[in-house]
Amino acid sequence: MTGSTPFRKRRFRKSGGPAETQAATGPETGPGASGASASEGTAVPSGAVEAVPSAPAADEGSRDKPGAGRMQAVKNGVRKGGESAKAAALYITERIIENAPRVPVRDLATLRAQFPGLDPDQLADKLISGAAHATSTVGAGIGAAAMLPVPPAMPAELAAEITAVAAIELKLVAELHEVYGQRPPGALKDRSHAYLTAWTEERGIDLTKPTTLNAALGGQMKRELRQQIMKRMFRNLPNLMPFMVGAAVGAVMNRRDTRKLAEKVRGDLRRRAVPWGALPEAPPPDAPFQPLPGVARAELEGPEREED
């Protein structure tokens, strides 16, 4: 009707007024309805109240959505980072397995000629000292290369360090077996796989248990090798710190880890050591087929270093 009060204003009139009664009663709930009161006509089902969130709850849900999105992005990043780390560990594992038969190993006769007048323990000390110095040099070199960090180059630097350190430590493990008279049987490839098993498990080879030799580079052995590479990757991450800090950290950590590995292997070999006089005359080990590149080979066969 013309001049009547709009509907939105009639809701705020005093309770019980004729306008409120008219607004509350529709065609279905008018005065002619069968005994239905105005309050009964506007009753809301109980389930509808629970289905519609309140204003504070709706605001809180809208505020949580950006946080949930960020959390999901973080989870996706962690998952992708884990997949990348596994792929890198698999690549480094294959490289180490490929390089194992190419690492030059000196036999007992050569070692005794280079270090005359030393007993087995003294000769082992010399070998451990030289290998620790070599891995320390590798760690310092990689840390110096990362003085001004370039993120795309960091994975390659980390892989190069782990591969080089593994070659040096693998040579050390093999020569410790020569010093204590525990050369494993078989051809060059079989021996290199046995030494790689000893490096992975950080123990000496037990020649009285052929199962330890036959299990070399099996499915379980490769999984253990990948796990060892993963641990090395995360342990070597501080070597990539900038401003020459990574060089000092890498040198100290590589020296410590190499000595720790060598002491574990030597402890096992010393318990099963065979005196040099009781060793049968053995032919010199086969020369590596397709030796390592010149720089790596020079590092492994370089001039003997004095004990630190």
Side-chain angles (χ1 to χ4, degrees), residues 39-94:
S39 59
E40 291 175 352
T42 58
V44 181
S46 59
V49 179
E50 300 177 359
V52 179
S54 62
D59 294 340
E60 184 178 357
S62 63
R63 287 195 302 268
D64 289 344
K65 287 181 180 179
R70 287 193 295 269
M71 182 60 68
Q72 186 63 34
V74 171
K75 291 180 180 179
N76 294 338
V78 171
R79 177 176 55 80
K80 292 180 180 179
E83 293 176 354
S84 300
K86 290 180 180 179
L90 180 59
Y91 170 76
I92 298 174
T93 300
E94 297 298 332

Side-chain angles (χ1 to χ4, degrees), residues 12-26:
F12 302 103
R13 291 188 178 182
K14 186 180 296 186
S15 134
E20 181 179 356
T21 305
Q22 182 179 359
T25 57

Side-chain angles (χ1 to χ4, degrees), residues 140-200:
I142 296 297
M147 181 177 62
L148 296 177
V150 181
M154 287 183 177
E157 294 170 354
L158 196 61
E161 179 183 8
I162 295 175
T163 305
V165 170
I168 296 170
E169 292 180 348
L170 191 61
K171 174 183 174 69
L172 172 63
V173 168
E175 292 179 352
L176 287 177
H177 282 77
E178 290 284 335
V179 169
Y180 289 100
Q182 297 292 311
R183 180 196 294 185
L188 173 63
K189 187 175 181 179
D190 299 329
R191 291 198 307 272
S192 62
H193 289 172
Y195 294 143
L196 188 57
T197 303
W199 179 81
T200 302

Side-chain angles (χ1 to χ4, degrees), residues 98-119:
E98 179 185 353
N99 290 341
R102 304 166 64 185
V103 174
V105 178
R106 293 169 291 185
D107 62 344
L108 180 58
T110 304
L111 291 172
R112 294 184 67 181
Q114 292 181 356
F115 301 95
L118 299 182
D119 60 18

Side-chain angles (χ1 to χ4, degrees), residues 4-295:
S4 62
T5 306
F7 175 76
R8 62 178 177 275
K9 294 184 178 180
R10 284 182 290 174
R11 290 179 300 175
F12 302 103
R13 291 188 178 182
K14 186 180 296 186
S15 134
E20 181 179 356
T21 305
Q22 182 179 359
T25 57
E28 293 82 8
T29 59
S34 58
S37 64
S39 59
E40 291 175 352
T42 58
V44 181
S46 59
V49 179
E50 300 177 359
V52 179
S54 62
D59 294 340
E60 184 178 357
S62 63
R63 287 195 302 268
D64 289 344
K65 287 181 180 179
R70 287 193 295 269
M71 182 60 68
Q72 186 63 34
V74 171
K75 291 180 180 179
N76 294 338
V78 171
R79 177 176 55 80
K80 292 180 180 179
E83 293 176 354
S84 300
K86 290 180 180 179
L90 180 59
Y91 170 76
I92 298 174
T93 300
E94 297 298 332
R95 288 294 304 273
I96 292 177
I97 293 175
E98 179 185 353
N99 290 341
R102 304 166 64 185
V103 174
V105 178
R106 293 169 291 185
D107 62 344
L108 180 58
T110 304
L111 291 172
R112 294 184 67 181
Q114 292 181 356
F115 301 95
L118 299 182
D119 60 18
D121 288 336
Q122 293 173 343
L123 181 52
D125 290 336
K126 280 285 186 180
L127 297 178
I128 293 173
S129 176
H133 186 85
T135 56
S136 175
T137 303
V138 171
I142 296 297
M147 181 177 62
L148 296 177
V150 181
M154 287 183 177
E157 294 170 354
L158 196 61
E161 179 183 8
I162 295 175
T163 305
V165 170
I168 296 170
E169 292 180 348
L170 191 61
K171 174 183 174 69
L172 172 63
V173 168
E175 292 179 352
L176 287 177
H177 282 77
E178 290 284 335
V179 169
Y180 289 100
Q182 297 292 311
R183 180 196 294 185
L188 173 63
K189 187 175 181 179
D190 299 329
R191 291 198 307 272
S192 62
H193 289 172
Y195 294 143
L196 188 57
T197 303
W199 179 81
T200 302
E201 298 181 352
E202 298 182 351
R203 62 172 180 80
I205 299 173
D206 190 356
L207 300 181
T208 62
K209 296 180 180 179
T211 55
T212 60
L213 300 176
N214 297 334
L217 287 189
Q220 182 179 359
M221 188 65 245
K222 287 188 177 181
R223 286 192 296 270
E224 293 178 359
L225 181 57
R226 285 197 298 269
Q227 293 173 0
Q228 181 75 359
I229 297 302
M230 287 285 290
K231 289 191 294 185
R232 292 257 176 165
M233 289 175 59
F234 289 111
R235 194 164 62 226
N236 291 359
L237 284 177
N239 300 6
L240 303 179
M241 297 174 64
F243 308 118
M244 295 300 292
V245 177
V249 174
V252 173
M253 291 183 61
N254 284 357
R255 181 188 298 270
R256 180 200 62 189
D257 293 342
T258 300
R259 287 189 176 274
K260 184 178 179 181
L261 168 69
E263 292 299 332
K264 288 183 178 180
V265 174
R266 181 165 73 164
D268 289 342
L269 296 176
R270 186 183 289 166
R271 289 192 294 268
R272 300 186 292 267
V274 179
W276 289 346
L279 288 174
E281 185 176 357
D286 303 333
F289 180 70
Q290 292 182 348
L292 294 173
V295 176

